[in-house]
Amino acid sequence: MKIRLHGPASEMEPYTAVLRRAFDVLDESGLYTDRPPSRLCRRYLEAQMPAPDPQAEAIAQVLAEVSAERFRQLDKWGAQRRENGTGGPVMRHTAEDMRNRCNYLAEHGGADWGAVLLEEVYEAMAEDDTAALRQELVQVAAVCAAWIEDIDSCGVPADKAVGP
């Protein structure tokens, strides 16, 4: 079955990806800029397209900002290669202290973002194994993203945040 898309391209874009999963799509939207998508097409797509997820949108926004910052860093400093500088008994001891601190706070009213982030950072700093270090750094990045999402949910505009 072939589906022909008729309507302004800007209106058809959200539908095209969903339709392409199930049908051969011939996009003729550029030829029919004066016609809206058919009702049947819109009903099908509304049933197939998930409702917008505000949390997913918040995550995407934060990760887009992180990506932009990474490109800014790359432009300024180029690709960097450094030693990990992690592991050892001192860092393992500090990581255990931070884990205990975070657990204590969680049991007595809740750990704050600073405690959660420091626990993750010190767990990363304690790792000798590169694969485990990578996993810990992903957790650090995720906690940072969650903290930024929480700040944004309180109404602090990103353009008002202090930056470089």
Side-chain angles (χ1 to χ4, degrees), residues 12 16 33 42 46 60 70 77 96 110 119 136 139 160:
M12 298 311 299
T16 304
T33 57
R42 284 190 305 240
E46 287 166 0
R70 278 297 298 127
W77 304 106
E96 186 62 32
E119 177 188 357
E136 291 295 339
Q139 292 175 21
K160 300 294 185 213

Side-chain angles (χ1 to χ4, degrees), residues 21-82:
R21 284 188 243 143
F23 304 103
D24 290 327
V25 175
L26 178 60
D27 187 351
E28 295 179 343
S29 57
L31 303 174
Y32 298 92
T33 57
D34 59 335
R35 296 185 195 170
S38 73
R39 271 181 271 155
L40 181 61
C41 178
R42 284 190 305 240
R43 273 196 306 240
Y44 171 78
L45 292 168
E46 287 166 0
Q48 296 297 314
M49 293 175 71
D53 179 356
Q55 189 65 48
E57 291 173 10
I59 291 168
Q61 175 61 39
V62 169
L63 295 180
E65 291 179 49
V66 171
S67 178
E69 173 61 17
R70 278 297 298 127
F71 281 109
R72 188 194 68 76
Q73 292 171 355
L74 189 61
D75 186 49
K76 183 174 183 177
W77 304 106
Q80 299 180 57
R81 303 287 182 256
R82 302 174 190 266

